[in-house]
Amino acid sequence: MTIVIVGAGIGGLAAALSLHEAGFRDVRIFERVAQLRPLGVGINLLPHAVRELTELRLGDRMAGAGVAPGTLSYFNRFGQQIWSEPRGLAAGYRWPQLSMYRGRLQAELLQAVQERLGEQAVQTGHRLIAVEQRGATGKSPAGTAVAPGPDTAQSDSSANHSGAAEGAVARFATAEGEVGVEAELVVGADGIHSALRRQHYPDEGQPIWNGLTLWRGTATVPAYLDGKTMIMAGDGWQKFVAYPVGPPGRDGRALINFIAERRQADADGDTVDWNRSVDPAPIVDLFADWRFDWLDVPALIAAAPEILEYPMVDRDPLPQWTFGRCTLLGDAAHPMYPNGSNGASQAILDARTLAYHLATAPTIDAGLQAYEADRRPATTALVLSNRRQGPEQVMVLAHERAPRGFRDIDEVFAPGELAEIAAGYKRAAGFHPDALNTRASLTP
């Protein structure tokens, strides 16, 4: 089966590796940018995503690229601890949680794709225009120059899907002009501004901004707490997240990734800026009082060589991902707020689930139906949960109930309430340890 993936981000690369591991050999990725470069700052891979990468034979590679946090702790804006829990192996998972540079993760996945699928598996400089369905006769849409895929006569697990002639043609704009690429399946993994999603939902408009602005950066500063703890401090109005993406050196300093957030009372989604470098001074001022015994927040922000600004955005869940022989994956299907550190992990789960169902279903259409039935309801629930702050609602509740701080957290929350919030989110996101450790593999 010939498969075209639109987008060489984390979801698209994971999809290519998953499909290849499931036996599909004719898989190509088409990326909009002319040159792939490491972008972004820190990212977290939760144990359910690390499990899938491990089963793709990438576990050691990922472990070498990141840091495994052993604890996640929530604090209020005064540095008082609200809740703390073990993470990864320390929490009883069979797989760790990993924190790393997003660019490093993408580079490792890209290298694995090129090693396994070939250097030409990823074609850059291809901007998707549209995907057109191809009828049972196999005739391509008029006026489209079609580039045939590589020879697919080899024996692989896609053979029992090859009886149907239906397919699609993905039309791309390139420096040399428009080209069409014929495939039996097109997967849209082209992010929150997905062209394939826009084709089927043309009136959706811009992503939805919730009024929070994020400032992201990294800085090498003295390690805090035990040197491997992920922290979140603040409330629904202002928040600070930090975690190491490198181990402490001999001097006790470590590379820390941080996210500073602030809500704007006059939020206007039509004027929000995307991904721009900003002066750190005003952000340092916003957090000037956040000097805790265990972390100097304004000093950490001031030490960053560059700070990038982003809006916190998502999109409304969709009623349908699959249209004929094309489907959506990752942020193209379900962009979500970063509460709970789940975006990249869910894209990897999409990739593995899609490959599993395509390899085990009797037809391509049945595989796509099973994929969407598995993933769309789960990610819809997660998008909506993240709008309610996900597991970070413990900070919102602590602020509402004790805005000036507290002497004893047990006076703020009922017995078991904090633990249930944490466990409930893990169940919704598919990484509660009891379920994850025992569920069947997504390797066909």
Side-chain angles (χ1 to χ4, degrees):
M1 178 166 65
T2 304
I3 302 173
V4 163
I5 298 170
V6 183
I10 292 167
L13 294 168
L17 290 166
S18 299
L19 290 162
H20 183 267
E21 196 74 2
F24 299 97
R25 295 293 178 259
D26 189 0
V27 180
R28 288 186 291 168
I29 302 175
F30 293 85
E31 167 58 43
R32 176 174 181 157
V33 302
Q35 182 178 1
L36 288 170
R37 294 176 295 175
L39 296 175
V41 281
I43 196 169
N44 275 282
L45 293 178
L46 300 179
H48 52 341
V50 177
R51 172 182 179 173
E52 301 312 326
L53 294 174
T54 301
E55 294 188 4
L56 285 173
R57 298 177 286 122
L58 295 171
D60 290 342
R61 180 176 286 188
M62 293 300 145
V67 173
T71 306
L72 169 62
S73 293
Y74 297 94
F75 300 83
N76 63 11
R77 60 171 56 217
F78 308 109
Q80 296 174 307
Q81 188 177 94
I82 301 167
W83 170 253
S84 187
E85 62 180 52
R87 301 295 276 189
L89 299 177
Y93 292 98
R94 293 170 55 195
W95 303 270
Q97 177 173 322
L98 294 173
S99 303
M100 64 183 71
Y101 270 118
R102 184 193 182 280
R104 176 72 184 275
L105 171 60
Q106 185 178 11
E108 294 288 353
L109 293 174
L110 175 62
Q111 183 177 349
V113 166
Q114 291 173 332
E115 290 169 356
R116 299 179 188 184
L117 281 72
E119 291 289 334
Q120 301 305 311
V122 180
Q123 299 292 314
T124 57
H126 283 68
R127 177 179 61 82
L128 182 68
I129 300 171
V131 174
E132 298 171 342
Q133 301 296 321
R134 180 164 56 81
T137 62
K139 185 177 180 180
S140 301
T144 303
V146 176
D151 182 17
T152 59
Q154 59 192 298
S155 175
D156 61 36
S157 68
S158 65
N160 54 355
H161 298 315
S162 61
E166 293 87 350
V169 175
R171 294 194 294 110
F172 296 96
T174 74
E176 289 74 35
E178 184 178 319
V179 298
V181 182
E182 193 169 286
E184 290 173 82
L185 173 63
V186 176
V187 179
D190 47 342
I192 192 169
H193 297 292
S194 168
L196 184 56
R197 177 177 178 133
R198 186 169 58 251
Q199 176 179 335
H200 295 286
Y201 297 93
D203 299 323
E204 186 176 29
Q206 294 297 311
I208 302 167
W209 185 35
N210 70 353
L212 280 168
T213 299
L214 314 181
W215 297 281
R216 298 175 181 262
T218 59
T220 300
V221 297
Y224 61 87
L225 298 176
D226 65 354
K228 55 180 182 179
T229 292
M230 180 177 183
I231 68 101
M232 300 188 182
D235 47 58
W237 185 262
Q238 189 166 340
K239 186 173 70 176
F240 190 79
V241 178
Y243 51 87
V245 290
R250 292 183 179 180
D251 59 357
R253 297 164 66 84
L255 184 62
I256 306 297
N257 179 84
F258 68 83
I259 307 167
E261 298 180 12
R262 175 77 174 187
R263 187 174 298 280
Q264 297 184 26
D266 57 347
D268 181 359
D270 292 334
T271 61
V272 68
D273 286 320
W274 286 83
N275 189 12
R276 65 186 183 106
S277 184
V278 297
D279 179 7
I283 307 161
V284 171
D285 290 343
L286 287 174
F287 289 85
D289 297 331
W290 293 45
R291 288 185 169 90
F292 310 142
D293 293 341
W294 45 274
L295 179 65
D296 188 331
V297 172
L300 174 53
I301 297 171
E306 182 180 44
I307 294 180
L308 299 175
E309 183 178 87
Y310 303 80
M312 184 182 281
V313 296
D314 70 357
R315 290 189 183 278
D316 288 331
L318 294 177
Q320 183 178 345
W321 290 358
T322 303
F323 299 86
R325 289 297 178 81
C326 63
T327 194
L328 300 172
L329 181 149
D331 279 351
H334 48 75
M336 61 185 67
Y337 296 156
N339 306 104
S341 305
N342 239 297
S345 294
Q346 293 300 319
I348 292 168
L349 283 172
D350 288 350
R352 290 278 288 163
T353 304
L354 174 64
Y356 174 82
H357 284 303
L358 288 175
T360 57
T363 65
I364 300 172
D365 298 318
L368 293 173
Q369 183 178 8
Y371 159 66
E372 185 167 335
D374 261 8
R375 296 298 299 152
R376 190 169 57 80
T379 55
T380 292
L382 199 56
V383 168
L384 299 178
S385 175
N386 281 9
R387 288 182 176 179
R388 299 187 297 270
Q389 301 286 333
E392 297 166 30
Q393 64 181 288
V394 298
M395 297 185 293
V396 177
L397 294 173
H399 178 70
E400 291 174 351
R401 299 173 186 180
R404 293 182 175 85
F406 48 81
R407 292 177 300 178
D408 186 345
I409 192 62
D410 291 335
E411 297 175 356
V412 181
F413 288 88
E417 185 179 2
L418 289 166
E420 179 51 37
I421 290 172
Y425 186 78
K426 293 182 181 73
R427 287 192 292 267
F431 73 107
H432 192 283
D434 294 344
L436 179 61
N437 288 345
T438 58
R439 78 157 166 78
S441 172
L442 290 176
T443 299

